[in-house]
Amino acid sequence: MSTTYRPLTETDAVAYVKERGFFPRDAALTCREIGDGNLNLVFHLVDPKSGQSLILKQALPYARVVGESWPLTLDRARIEAEALRIEGELAPGLVPKVIHYDADLALTVMEDLSDHIVMRKGLMARTVYPRFAEHMATFLARTLFFTSDLYLSPEEKKAKQRAFINPEMCKITEDLVFSHPYYNADTNHFNPLIRDAVEALWQNGALKREVARLKEAFMTKAQALIHGDLHTGSIMVKADSTKVIDPEFAFYGPMGFDPGAVFANLLLSYASHEGHTPNEAERRDFQAWLLETIEAIWRGFAEQFAELWAEHVKDEMWNAPGYREAYLRAVLQDAVGFAGCKMMRRVIGLAHVADLETIPDPAVRATCEKLALAIGQALVLRRETVQRIEDLTALVRDVA
Ligand code: ADP
Ligand code: MG
Ligand code: MG
Ligand code: MG
């Protein structure tokens, strides 16, 4: 097979995995492209005889957004494969296993997780995942702690930081999460029924100033190797298992961005069930589980992070009295602010979420979208009042 880049067809994908010896030469493989087709191809390959299966994910050299094509670096395939390997070592069992990475074709062959479902779909069906909070807490504590200056030597940290310079993917976040939703930008689109709420937001100078501070933190606070796109479409789940996929946005950024993404998406689900779940008892139960899950993720994260700190941190300055508590409080406040930005952008900006988009009645959807905007704004504006995770969930209850 040629070593120059070209997008694979389903037939090419079958030939590729056989040539590399991942399946027997004579296997009658089935292959289906299951990605959403905007940035990457995702092929699902199955040998019906043995039941063995694999995923082959290939980056495309462009992103198709608002009808235009813009070139997008294939280097994100390297970032994704390397991040998956690191996360797999630090948080075993919580990401798909990387089987093979091909730099020329910008593709990764990985473990098939088709016995899991994308978490967003599970949340839309009000499915409760009893182990999710514990798994997410472990994923966050271990991936963030062990890639930070708290654990690595300054030299090791800078070397890792250099390997994860990801400017084009960061620019997407800088534009779509931290800029465009807060003024009348071309990439925005939203439900016409919420125009008043959106225009009020565009007029809110205090809000824009706080979003600007969060944008600057995203761009400059190189605390840890973060996943960078940890929404509920990047998490696959079943009752007793959680897997984080798709770290192509990974870079050295603020730790709070990852828990913030998880909180935002749980809260978008919270807002969406005002529309999806008219039965009040069912709605209350599920919303209560979402808020309990946010609290359990943070508590588990903070506890494990503090344990890792006690065990591994030797630096005199990092062990200054009260510093660990202050550090974790700052991560929490960052997470709350980033969560707010991520909620607002899913209502106003380019990329929306199925949780809200699948509410068929535009008036009902508008109620949910306005709730998401109100929560998002409150999280950004009041994040510095949050001292403990219960302050975040109280804030949500207060707005709702
Ligand atoms: P993109 O970067 O284009 O968003 P993702 O990595 O999120 O690509 O994958 C797109 C979809 O492909 C996922 O939502 C999921 O349905 C499926 N998928 C991705 N990786 C796997 C995997 N390892 N096992 C099973 N399905 C997967
Ligand atoms: Mg996608
Ligand atoms: Mg994805
Ligand atoms: Mg992706």
Side-chain angles (χ1 to χ4, degrees):
M1 178 161 292
S2 154
T3 54
T4 48
Y5 177 83
R6 69 205 159 89
L8 300 188
T9 64
E10 290 177 349
T11 313
D12 296 333
V14 168
Y16 185 89
V17 291
K18 285 189 183 181
E19 272 166 34
R20 305 281 156 153
F22 299 131
F23 290 95
R25 286 251 169 205
D26 59 355
L29 300 186
T30 66
C31 180
R32 215 157 50 89
E33 204 278 306
I34 59 169
D36 344 294
N38 260 351
L39 266 71
N40 302 293
L41 300 171
V42 179
F43 297 100
H44 184 218
L45 295 138
V46 184
D47 181 351
K49 201 160 134 210
S50 66
Q52 195 210 335
S53 60
L54 287 174
I55 292 288
L56 186 161
K57 178 172 175 178
Q58 184 182 35
L60 291 168
Y62 51 82
R64 217 177 287 121
V65 190
V66 284
E68 284 168 84
S69 272
W70 84 49
L72 196 54
T73 176
L74 294 174
D75 190 46
R76 70 188 194 278
R78 175 191 65 83
I79 299 253
E80 174 162 351
E82 290 204 0
L84 280 176
R85 282 197 175 121
I86 291 171
E87 291 163 352
E89 276 168 29
L90 297 177
L94 296 176
V95 297
K97 287 192 188 69
V98 174
I99 293 159
H100 174 71
Y101 165 65
D102 184 322
D104 296 319
L105 288 172
L107 70 78
T108 301
V109 178
M110 69 181 102
E111 181 186 0
D112 175 26
L113 304 172
S114 297
D115 58 338
H116 294 59
I117 66 164
V118 171
M119 189 176 194
R120 191 181 305 289
K121 290 188 189 148
L123 296 181
M124 286 164 64
R126 287 197 312 278
T127 310
V128 160
Y129 295 98
R131 307 279 313 269
F132 170 69
E134 162 200 341
H135 292 152
M136 189 47 58
T138 300
F139 177 83
L140 293 168
R142 297 186 63 85
T143 59
L144 298 176
F145 179 84
F146 285 115
T147 60
S148 75
D149 284 297
L150 299 169
Y151 179 74
L152 299 174
S153 74
E155 296 80 7
E156 289 169 322
K157 188 271 186 128
K158 269 102 178 167
K160 255 205 165 77
Q161 188 180 353
R162 240 188 329 268
F164 285 93
I165 296 291
N166 199 356
E168 290 183 29
M169 302 307 276
C170 286
K171 180 73 162 61
I172 293 175
T173 302
E174 290 151 19
D175 287 344
L176 298 184
V177 179
F178 293 110
S179 298
H180 297 183
Y182 312 100
Y183 62 88
N184 191 5
D186 289 343
T187 54
N188 292 330
H189 72 96
F190 50 84
N191 185 344
L193 298 179
I194 66 163
R195 175 159 282 277
D196 286 353
V198 173
E199 284 181 351
L201 190 149
W202 289 342
Q203 300 302 319
N204 188 337
L207 180 75
K208 289 171 87 151
R209 190 165 63 241
E210 290 307 315
V211 173
R213 286 178 66 203
L214 288 159
K215 177 174 179 171
E216 204 234 342
F218 177 81
M219 296 176 79
T220 62
K221 199 168 182 175
Q223 256 180 331
L225 179 62
I226 67 171
H227 178 283
D229 195 26
L230 197 47
H231 56 81
T232 45
S234 296
I235 302 170
M236 297 190 71
V237 281
K238 56 181 184 167
D240 57 351
S241 172
T242 305
K243 306 274 186 184
V244 174
I245 64 168
D246 197 11
E248 65 188 328
F249 283 80
F251 78 111
Y252 260 81
M255 290 187 183
F257 196 73
D258 282 351
V262 179
F263 296 166
N265 281 266
L266 296 176
L267 293 173
L268 287 164
S269 173
Y270 181 103
S272 75
H273 282 290
E274 293 292 322
H276 280 305
T277 308
N279 180 297
E280 190 171 333
E282 283 175 355
R283 182 172 72 240
R284 286 284 142 82
D285 279 356
F286 192 67
Q287 289 176 328
W289 178 76
L290 291 168
L291 296 188
E292 281 160 23
T293 299
I294 288 174
E295 292 182 356
I297 290 170
W298 184 263
R299 281 197 214 101
F301 165 76
E303 189 180 313
Q304 290 186 54
F305 198 92
E307 279 168 18
L308 293 172
W309 192 308
E311 187 181 340
H312 296 285
V313 176
K314 304 291 176 239
D315 187 289
E316 185 71 17
M317 296 315 293
W318 301 159
N319 284 318
Y323 184 64
R324 185 175 77 197
E325 292 74 14
Y327 190 103
L328 277 165
R329 198 179 314 116
V331 175
L332 175 59
Q333 292 179 357
D334 284 353
V336 172
F338 292 137
C341 296
K342 285 182 154 266
M343 291 185 75
M344 291 184 277
R345 76 95 159 206
R346 294 300 195 177
V347 175
I348 301 173
L350 178 70
H352 289 209
V353 287
D355 313 58
L356 292 166
E357 292 304 286
T358 53
I359 299 170
D361 180 341
V364 175
R365 192 173 354 110
T367 308
C368 300
E369 290 167 331
K370 282 188 198 162
L371 175 59
L373 285 185
I375 295 173
Q377 288 185 77
L379 296 189
V380 168
L381 287 170
R382 290 155 66 184
R383 69 189 187 284
E384 279 160 357
T385 68
V386 173
Q387 301 291 318
R388 303 166 314 137
I389 191 66
E390 293 79 11
D391 299 333
L392 165 59
T393 48
L395 214 158
V396 172
R397 283 193 202 90
D398 182 39
V399 175

